[in-house]
Amino acid sequence: MTLRDTPQSWEVVATDTPFRGAKTAVRTDEVVMPGGATARRDYQVHPGSVAVLALDGEGRVLVLSQYRHPVGRKLWEIPAGLLDVPGENPLTAAQRELYEEAHVKADDWRVLLDLYPTPGGSSEAVRVFLARGLAEAEGERYAVTDEEADMEFARVALDELVRGALAGELQNNCLVTGVLAVRAALAGEGLDALRPADAPWPARPY
């Protein structure tokens, strides 16, 4: 039995946007339910994101620690960022994030996984790329500000990150799903069998 998520659109009889921020908004829809009644659904309208699991030749993952105010934690994460340039290729965005956050480039890119982190409350879609063949980027480092100015960096063995995820010590969504996906791919057909970096992404076509 093969399971696939399928596109669907239930009727919306009223909509409002009570909040608009710099990058996201909050929308309220009155949605017709299967029985004919309507229900209010409040959710974040999000441009989407990309993340990069950068795996070096020694089986280590490039991670960074960043303060996240909404959860009151400094989380270990993989490089990631918003798709806030209209029409931008997600791969281009991922390459930019790896450069800006870690000053690293890669010569082998593949799609690791696509996910909706919180589909009950946000329209955010995330594409996580696997990057290999790592090297230091040319030129000066990107100037960072705000939370990014306090980031710490490390290269950590994949198995240690898997252990930390299963122990509840690491909780960032893209880090946890990313390292578990790499472990699953290695136990299956291998990393070279992953989708190409330009694979279609219906959630965020470009």
Side-chain angles (χ1 to χ4, degrees):
M1 180 179 180
T2 300
L3 301 181
R4 292 181 182 273
D5 297 336
T6 56
Q8 195 168 115
S9 180
W10 290 5
E11 183 183 1
V12 175
V13 295
T15 188
D16 185 31
T17 306
F19 172 79
R20 294 185 187 274
K23 302 292 184 180
T24 66
V26 173
R27 181 174 295 162
T28 298
D29 288 344
E30 289 287 338
V31 186
V32 179
M33 298 290 112
T38 62
R40 186 171 117 170
R41 294 292 178 260
D42 304 314
Y43 60 98
Q44 180 192 38
V45 179
H46 196 287
S49 306
V50 292
V52 183
L53 194 143
L55 185 68
D56 71 15
E58 299 178 36
R60 302 175 302 173
V61 177
L62 173 63
V63 293
L64 54 91
S65 179
Q66 186 171 357
Y67 174 65
R68 294 301 189 183
H69 187 71
V71 297
R73 294 283 191 279
K74 196 169 186 183
L75 302 179
W76 284 101
E77 308 178 351
I78 56 178
L82 296 175
L83 286 169
D84 52 3
V85 178
E88 184 176 31
N89 186 319
L91 175 59
T92 302
Q95 292 169 332
R96 182 183 67 248
E97 291 298 332
L98 184 61
Y99 162 73
E100 290 182 356
E101 294 194 349
H103 200 66
V104 167
K105 64 180 181 179
D107 61 20
D108 187 281
W109 290 82
R110 297 174 190 272
V111 174
L112 182 56
L113 53 91
D114 298 324
L115 56 98
Y116 293 108
T118 51
S122 174
S123 66
E124 181 181 13
V126 181
R127 170 157 280 191
V128 183
F129 289 90
L130 174 69
R132 294 181 293 171
L134 308 183
E136 184 174 358
E138 295 86 1
E140 297 182 6
R141 293 189 69 94
Y142 182 79
V144 295
T145 59
D146 302 326
E147 293 94 341
E148 293 183 351
D150 190 46
M151 289 193 301
E152 303 172 63
F153 297 88
R155 293 197 184 198
V156 182
L158 177 67
D159 286 346
E160 174 59 20
L161 294 174
V162 171
R163 184 208 64 77
L166 296 177
E169 298 166 358
L170 301 170
Q171 300 176 57
N172 174 264
N173 187 299
C174 291
L175 172 63
V176 170
T177 57
V179 298
L180 294 178
V182 168
R183 173 54 61 215
L186 289 170
E189 297 181 2
L191 301 180
D192 289 337
L194 292 169
R195 288 173 290 164
D198 61 353
W201 188 17
R204 291 296 185 275
Y206 57 93

